[in-house]
Amino acid sequence: MATPTGPLSIPVSSAAAISEQATYRKVAWRLTPLLLLCYVVAYLDRVNVGFAKLQMAADLQLSDAVYGFGAGVFFLGYFLFEVPSNLILHRVGARVWIARIMITWGLVSMLTMFVRTPGMFFLMRFLLGVAEAGFFPGVILYLTYWYPASRRGMTTAWLVTAVALSGLIGGPLSGWLLTALDGVNQWHGWQWLFLVEGLPSVLIGLLVLGKLDERIETARWLSDEEKLLLLDNLRADAEAKTQTSVRMVFTNPRVWLISLIHFLFVMGLYGVGFWLPTLIKGTGVADALTIGLLSAIPFGAAVVVMLAAAKHADIRRERRRHVAGSALAGALGLLLAVLWADHTALAMCALTLATAGIITTLPLFWCLPTAFLGGAAAAAGIAFINAIGNLAGFLGPYAVGWLKEATHSSAPAMYLLAACMALGAVLALALPARLVDR
């Protein structure tokens, strides 16, 4: 085994290497559970409208196209305020700004229970996007304050398991709320869904305000030696990053290419995320609770696959092929979901492959831009990439709804999403290995 080296390429003892591993484990146990909890409720509040649709569409007379537009308009608000929000976070600190984001989006999500018309539905979805803008790129930026690129893949994977966990937990919970509370206090099940699932965001936002540490230097639970080790690793990592201004980020061709890749992957993510309950229903399953339980299966598989892929990518220090392979698996799953649409068991196998492949691209993808952007450029670049990518969060659900309504079939929409995932895989392989494989 090669002798481990420190951040400045100075040989260190095996005891020191063990100490470094223990230090990062300590950081992970301190930061990851809270951030993971934040993202679970964030993603749940973002996509629970997919379950609400099972009742809400009939109550509010929403067509598939209207629902798709309303589900996606969230991302227009998100897009407009993404970069400003992340720059504010970089200036005022993660603790206050992430708490502010969580509390406001929780309140907006809860108020969605009172919508009565398509216009009100569009407005609340837009305001939810404005409230949540900057959360995910802010957390990704926050991780760069603690971890070098070589350790960020697995850390990001643990964070992004929130996407899968929110489906694993939220599916059965949403199905139960729709059936068990329907009619209680003369409210529909979908109204209770927004109320019950929005409240945790407010409470956890208050927890963030009291518990989240801003940076290494202010963490009282780290010793001076541990702080020095972590800071030295970050300094060494910074030397490999592109030093550029915020303005130059927006003219950097590589940033635009990575933004396009993210756009294509998000097309697949939210195309499936917002429509998974409807796709399962289309296989012949009618009961909302059963749909919720079945929807947990793809997300449970995604947790296992994502963590395994991220660990392997960190060990190999290779990102591009892992990203491409995951995206192609997602595309294959979408195609098989069309082929097996009339068979619930086979369709669930296909949707599990699609969901696991698509979600696994996320933590692997975010290792690409954070490998070469640092400082204020990272704050602006990460937010910009996420904002451009999340425009697909508007286009994806709307395109699925429009195609489904126009063709009376889910097949064309699944073909579109599969093509997006495949193209994203090809473009990921086009990135220079020396830039991102660290």
Side-chain angles (χ1 to χ4, degrees), residues 33-58:
L34 180 56
L35 294 176
L36 178 61
L37 184 60
C38 290
Y39 197 31
V40 165
V41 297
Y43 195 79
L44 181 60
D45 284 346
R46 186 183 300 186
V47 302
N48 60 7
V49 69
F51 280 94
K53 174 187 178 290
L54 298 175
Q55 290 181 352
M56 191 180 188

Side-chain angles (χ1 to χ4, degrees), residues 105-334:
W105 99 51
L107 292 174
V108 173
S109 183
M110 293 165 68
L111 290 172
T112 305
M113 68 181 291
F114 296 113
V115 301
R116 291 290 181 270
T117 66
M120 292 175 65
F121 176 53
F122 297 159
L123 176 62
M124 295 309 293
R125 291 294 297 174
F126 178 81
L127 291 177
L128 186 66
V130 172
E132 194 181 327
F135 173 75
F136 181 71
V139 173
I140 293 296
L141 176 65
Y142 179 71
L143 292 179
T144 68
Y145 301 160
W146 293 83
Y147 295 96
S150 61
R151 290 183 177 271
R152 213 174 295 136
M154 195 62 189
T155 304
T156 307
W158 275 109
L159 174 64
V160 178
T161 57
V163 175
L165 288 173
S166 68
L168 187 64
I169 299 167
L173 174 62
S174 297
W176 180 83
L177 289 170
L178 288 177
T179 54
L181 299 185
D182 191 31
V184 176
N185 198 39
Q186 298 184 331
W187 289 346
H188 297 287
W190 64 265
Q191 292 177 294
W192 280 107
L193 184 151
F194 285 122
L195 176 63
V196 172
E197 294 184 357
L199 181 60
S201 298
V202 177
L203 299 178
I204 296 169
L206 295 174
L207 181 63
V208 167
L209 197 58
K211 293 293 184 180
L212 192 68
D213 294 285
E214 293 286 1
R215 290 179 180 265
I216 293 169
E217 296 89 336
T218 60
R220 296 179 180 177
W221 43 274
L222 288 172
S223 68
D224 290 342
E225 293 77 11
E226 290 169 334
K227 291 178 182 179
L228 181 61
L229 183 151
L230 296 173
L231 290 170
D232 281 347
N233 284 352
L234 289 180
R235 277 190 286 268
D237 189 59
E239 294 174 1
K241 294 183 178 182
T242 302
Q243 302 301 317
T244 185
S245 66
V246 171
R247 187 175 66 177
M248 290 295 289
V249 165
F250 303 110
T251 58
N252 187 323
R254 288 168 178 161
V255 172
W256 279 95
L257 175 58
I258 288 178
S259 299
L260 175 58
I261 295 169
H262 190 225
F263 180 92
L264 293 167
F265 290 163
V266 172
M267 281 286 290
L269 175 66
Y270 288 113
V272 171
F274 283 121
W275 287 95
L276 183 60
T278 302
L279 293 171
I280 295 174
K281 184 178 181 179
T283 68
V285 181
D287 179 64
L289 180 57
T290 303
I291 293 172
L293 292 171
L294 287 176
S295 71
I297 296 173
F299 291 107
V303 172
V304 177
V305 174
M306 185 183 352
L307 293 175
K311 183 176 182 179
H312 191 260
D314 272 359
I315 292 172
R316 297 291 299 273
R317 299 216 176 178
E318 194 288 320
R319 312 294 175 182
R320 300 172 309 141
R321 289 195 294 274
H322 284 78
V323 169
S326 300
L328 291 174
L332 177 60
L334 291 169

Side-chain angles (χ1 to χ4, degrees), residues 73-82 85 97 100-102 104-105 108 122-135:
V73 78
F74 165 94
F75 294 97
L76 294 183
Y78 201 94
F79 170 77
L80 292 173
F81 291 89
E82 182 90 319
S85 179
W97 199 244
R100 191 285 304 164
I101 289 172
M102 294 193 65
T104 53
W105 99 51
V108 173
F122 297 159
L123 176 62
M124 295 309 293
R125 291 294 297 174
F126 178 81
L127 291 177
L128 186 66
V130 172
E132 194 181 327
F135 173 75

Side-chain angles (χ1 to χ4, degrees), residues 376-422:
I382 292 168
F384 178 72
I385 291 164
N386 199 55
I388 294 295
N390 274 300
L391 284 177
F394 167 72
L395 182 60
Y398 181 60
V400 171
W402 182 84
L403 285 170
K404 190 171 181 292
E405 190 169 307
T407 64
H408 304 289
S409 170
S410 298
M414 296 301 101
Y415 293 146
L416 172 64
L417 300 181
C420 289
M421 297 303 297

